[in-house]
Amino acid sequence: MTTGYESYGYLTPGVDFPAFDLAPEFGRVPPYADGLSEPERERAARLLRDNVVISLHDHPVRFPADMRRTPEYNRTGRQHTAFAGLLASGMTVVFDNMMDGTACVTGNAPWRWLDVVTDLGMRQADVAHQSDVIVIRTMGDIEHAHASGKVGLLFGLEAATPIENELDRLDVLYGLGLRQIGIAYSEANALGSGLNETTDGGLTDFGRRAVARMNKLGLAIDISHSSDRTGVDVCAASERPVFMTHAGARAVWDTPRMKPDDVLRAVAETGGVIGMSAAPHTTLSAAHPRHTILSVMDHFRYCADLVGIEHVAFGPDTLYGDHVGLHDVFGHLLKVGAAAPGGPSFEKVEYVDGLENPTENFGNICGLLVREGLSDSEITAVLGGNILRALGRIWT
């Protein structure tokens, strides 16, 4: 177990698994020009260093340098964790939702049960062969990561689709290390409607039973990709705080991927937290229709004003590689496009400046929070304190 470990370093590339030319962990795009003064930069660095910093949603793995090779790469069942990038990120914990919406390891459709089990097992086998990054299962694990300078991966799923109609699969996933789960992705499943369904059927009876089981297990619930009605229904059914790990406000950018005020309020009323997303061409704004970190901050300010700063955080939804290219390759599965018929127009970008990958995200976020004039206590809450409070009530 040594520092400097590269993913699957206990095996021989080209012999034990296919080798791919992967995207770099550093320097893929120019650094963000934040315009901070030296005192602002020093304050941001101190806050990032001294506090628990949690990403509510990211994909801290490396993708092929040529995104067109991603389906072939995914077929191997081996997502390569960006260990060096994580250690340079300033984060304490990452809600790591793996990539099972595009996995297609054993078939041509996502969210297959065996794919998820493979993903969970393979990623943790890799993590077990080094000592800088740990798996988070308890509040004590988070405390240990912060005290020891390690980075923790908190494994999650963006949809509960793989459980099909079997509640006990939630227990199995929990036993395999999963600690957070979404209700539905873009398409409906046995639990409820996804955000792309023509008819919003809300949470099903089975979905209510699943929410109750998630509460009993201590599985954090996410409604980021659920339909509006499903999201409200989940918040009403859950006895624990609910997360919206990566989204934004529809009042700021009017697309189905963003959430209306009633859903945002419903999350806050559970004691939950809303994470600001930065997936390309999603959290845009009228003030900043060219997607950058400034667009995302417009959503942050709106949500903080609407529900209170104690209910907001960041779930940038970034990865190592060409995220725009990923959407081009998997658009038929992800269905995350910002434009809806009659929706606002926008300029397509090659990457989201300031929030391009998990390494740079929170340094830039913290800098802008300082520049916005937030107090130390407010910034500490947004960086991770709000999420810690909610997890304390979820992880019984």
Side-chain angles (χ1 to χ4, degrees):
M1 295 189 178
T2 60
T3 299
Y5 175 87
E6 292 191 5
S7 211
Y8 303 107
Y10 61 96
L11 299 175
T12 304
V15 176
D16 296 311
F17 64 91
F20 289 83
D21 181 20
L22 299 178
E25 294 168 73
F26 304 92
R28 195 185 79 86
V29 302
Y32 178 65
D34 55 28
L36 296 176
S37 67
E38 195 56 35
E40 288 173 331
R41 199 177 307 283
E42 290 175 358
R43 181 178 169 222
R46 171 180 59 80
L47 287 166
L48 199 66
R49 180 184 64 248
D50 292 349
N51 293 287
V52 172
V53 178
I54 303 177
S55 168
L56 203 47
H57 186 96
D58 266 311
H59 301 280
V61 291
R62 301 173 68 188
F63 279 75
D66 180 354
M67 269 294 180
R68 292 172 297 182
R69 297 198 69 189
T70 301
E72 177 188 359
Y73 171 69
N74 285 351
R75 286 279 185 187
T76 69
R78 294 184 186 275
Q79 292 283 325
H80 289 239
T81 301
F83 290 104
L86 281 171
L87 290 175
S89 70
M91 293 187 292
T92 312
V93 176
V94 186
F95 277 60
D96 181 342
N97 274 235
M98 303 182 290
M99 287 299 297
D100 292 291
T102 61
C104 303
V105 178
T106 60
N108 295 314
W111 308 118
R112 295 163 68 92
W113 174 253
L114 185 56
D115 289 2
V116 172
V117 172
T118 298
D119 206 354
L120 270 171
M122 199 74 79
R123 292 288 306 285
Q124 291 184 80
D126 192 21
V127 170
H129 283 82
Q130 52 77 62
S131 58
D132 295 317
V133 174
I134 63 173
V135 177
I136 301 295
R137 297 184 178 90
T138 67
M139 298 297 288
D141 291 337
I142 298 177
E143 294 171 2
H144 170 62
H146 182 55
S148 60
K150 300 181 187 297
V151 181
L153 299 182
L154 191 160
F155 287 111
L157 276 179
E158 295 195 56
T161 304
I163 75 168
E164 298 176 322
N165 63 346
E166 298 184 41
L167 278 183
D168 286 349
R169 282 189 174 180
L170 291 169
D171 301 63
V172 174
L173 290 172
Y174 185 90
L176 293 175
L178 202 77
R179 288 298 180 270
Q180 172 253 307
I181 193 164
I183 296 297
Y185 200 70
S186 297
E187 296 177 342
N189 58 25
L191 288 78
S193 294
L195 61 87
N196 279 341
E197 293 297 328
T198 304
T199 301
D200 188 348
L203 193 66
T204 64
D205 287 343
F206 176 75
R208 294 178 196 282
R209 291 165 54 206
V211 166
R213 179 65 64 86
M214 294 169 188
N215 285 170
K216 292 175 180 177
L217 277 167
L219 265 177
I221 301 172
D222 174 32
I223 60 168
S224 297
H225 283 278
S226 300
S227 68
D228 296 345
R229 181 179 169 189
T230 299
V232 171
D233 288 350
V234 169
C235 291
S238 179
E239 297 179 353
R240 308 286 181 185
V242 171
F243 286 133
M244 185 181 293
T245 63
H246 59 300
R250 196 171 297 168
V252 177
W253 193 250
D254 189 11
T255 66
R257 179 65 183 85
M258 302 293 96
K259 301 299 183 182
D261 288 359
D262 63 331
V263 180
L264 298 173
R265 289 194 185 98
V267 171
E269 288 168 1
T270 70
V273 181
I274 302 159
M276 303 302 121
S277 178
H281 309 125
T282 57
T283 42
L284 303 170
S285 70
H288 298 98
R290 189 177 192 277
H291 204 186
T292 72
I293 190 173
L294 298 179
S295 317
V296 179
M297 293 303 293
D298 291 337
H299 286 265
F300 167 78
R301 282 190 293 271
Y302 181 88
C303 291
D305 289 343
L306 181 73
V307 301
I309 201 164
E310 66 271 23
H311 297 293
V312 292
F314 286 85
D317 192 11
T318 61
L319 46 83
Y320 292 91
D322 180 4
H323 203 160
V324 175
L326 178 74
H327 286 177
D328 291 339
V329 172
F330 286 102
H332 63 296
L333 295 177
L334 298 173
K335 299 177 183 177
V336 294
S345 60
F346 63 96
E347 176 187 350
K348 188 172 182 178
V349 297
E350 293 183 2
Y351 62 93
V352 180
D353 195 16
L355 293 171
E356 199 274 332
N357 67 44
T359 299
E360 75 165 13
N361 288 343
F362 278 87
N364 292 333
I365 287 168
C366 193
L368 283 184
L369 293 174
V370 165
R371 195 171 176 183
E372 293 267 328
L374 274 70
S375 68
D376 281 11
S377 61
E378 289 173 326
I379 294 174
T380 299
V382 169
L383 290 180
N386 293 337
I387 300 168
L388 284 174
R389 182 197 67 244
L391 284 177
R393 290 183 53 198
I394 296 166
W395 286 356
T396 54

